Amino acid sequence: MYLILLTGILIAVYLIVMNMPAFGTKPEGRRLERIRRSKLYRNGKFQNISHTPPVAEGYSTIKVTYDFILGKKHPLLKPLKSIPSIHTDLKKIRKDQDVFIWLGHSSYYLQTDGISFLVDPVLSEYGSPFKYFNKAFKGSDIFKPEDIPDLDYLVITHDHFDHLDYPTVKSIKDRTGMAIVPLGVGAHLERWGYREESLIEEEWGAQVLLKNNLKLTFTPARHFSGRKIKQNNTLWTSYVLETPTKKIFLGGDSGYDSHFEAIGREFGPFDYAVLENGQYDEAWRYIHALPEDVIQAALDLKAENIIPVHSSKFALALHPWNEPLQKITGLAKEKGLHILTPMIGEVLDMNSKHHQFREWWEE
């Protein structure tokens, strides 16, 4: 009797929690029909180009989970002092300035050719649906939703909580012209008050003409998706942004695969490639690239300048917080690549050919 009662209570709690706005909602109606017609959708879920197990060969899910939750943590898993950062006033940036401003983790403000973009904004204090879990490092959370100016485009690469943050996206709704999302993710935004006509929701291969003669192409990534137990019912993506003056690769979370070479062959060379470098592990290398994989991806893309993101705000893996930047800069020197490493909030002038940033993660 008590076991039945306890089971009923647990089920009720689960259903209540999963119905919270932060968890979004599943695709239905015409959106679900579009998903089922997609060539990327098979056996009830979206698929990667290559077979992509969540855990690499030689590792077990149980062991990986145990190490992550109960294993001994590195003393520098989190920084010992505040992360160096600069609070740039985004609302005072002139429209004729072409800039990249990293906001921490995978969030960044991009403005080029008179058009503004905000990519994967997570400007809450916590990178999770619950407070007091996955708290941002001190100094990395200096930007809040109210700091965001009126936007031409909000851009989302996939629907994981550390890339699509309900409080942030909800807060900036009335300052956002259009939202660009991979197929299925629009269901979350519509639940949060975005109008269907304000969404650009497509799958890999789709090309969209934006304001000022900019063109955006939805391109592959090797990852997964989902805000609830069911995974991969929404798509994940990277983007190629072509402007009258630049080519920029906007990479979402991705393990290394042949798609980088294919994108480089079709669209490269790139002036800038924003690549995820952080929150990795050997066991997860199919879905989160290791630093050496990021370097190879940059070579495949034929990128002149590489901007590494996905680090320095949350501890979502077991490596030291500053290891991603240490490794990527060291490997880049060996290959003669240009790695650009601004602090959170530091302005990167995208029209300059002479970028210099200090090694702030070593301070």
Tab-separated table of all heavy atoms in Angstrom, residues 37 62 211 224 321:
chain	number	residue	atom	x	y	z
A	37	ARG	N	8.226	14.570	-41.552
A	37	ARG	CA	8.571	14.563	-42.974
A	37	ARG	C	10.066	14.758	-43.216
A	37	ARG	O	10.557	14.542	-44.325
A	37	ARG	CB	7.801	15.663	-43.715
A	37	ARG	CG	6.301	15.413	-43.852
A	37	ARG	CD	5.687	16.331	-44.905
A	37	ARG	NE	5.894	17.738	-44.613
A	37	ARG	CZ	5.040	18.498	-43.927
A	37	ARG	NH1	3.924	17.961	-43.450
A	37	ARG	NH2	5.302	19.776	-43.711
A	62	ILE	N	27.270	4.019	-16.413
A	62	ILE	CA	27.217	3.974	-14.940
A	62	ILE	C	28.475	4.589	-14.344
A	62	ILE	O	28.420	5.407	-13.423
A	62	ILE	CB	27.027	2.520	-14.459
A	62	ILE	CG1	25.644	2.003	-14.884
A	62	ILE	CG2	27.186	2.441	-12.942
A	62	ILE	CD1	25.407	0.543	-14.541
A	211	LYS	N	17.928	40.468	-43.043
A	211	LYS	CA	18.016	41.895	-43.339
A	211	LYS	C	19.375	42.248	-43.936
A	211	LYS	O	20.368	41.553	-43.726
A	211	LYS	CB	17.820	42.713	-42.051
A	211	LYS	CG	16.441	42.644	-41.427
A	211	LYS	CD	16.441	43.487	-40.165
A	211	LYS	CE	15.111	43.507	-39.452
A	211	LYS	NZ	15.164	44.336	-38.227
A	224	PHE	N	22.997	16.173	-29.604
A	224	PHE	CA	21.689	15.617	-29.263
A	224	PHE	C	20.873	16.736	-28.651
A	224	PHE	O	21.347	17.867	-28.528
A	224	PHE	CB	21.816	14.418	-28.317
A	224	PHE	CG	22.320	14.750	-26.929
A	224	PHE	CD1	21.475	14.694	-25.832
A	224	PHE	CD2	23.654	15.105	-26.721
A	224	PHE	CE1	21.945	14.995	-24.552
A	224	PHE	CE2	24.123	15.411	-25.446
A	224	PHE	CZ	23.260	15.345	-24.366
A	321	TRP	N	38.663	24.385	-14.723
A	321	TRP	CA	37.861	25.392	-15.427
A	321	TRP	C	38.635	26.078	-16.552
A	321	TRP	O	38.064	26.448	-17.577
A	321	TRP	CB	37.347	26.440	-14.430
A	321	TRP	CG	38.384	27.447	-14.003
A	321	TRP	CD1	39.231	27.345	-12.945
A	321	TRP	CD2	38.688	28.693	-14.645
A	321	TRP	NE1	40.062	28.451	-12.889
A	321	TRP	CE2	39.736	29.297	-13.919
A	321	TRP	CE3	38.174	29.352	-15.755
A	321	TRP	CZ2	40.284	30.528	-14.261
A	321	TRP	CZ3	38.720	30.586	-16.110
A	321	TRP	CH2	39.758	31.157	-15.371
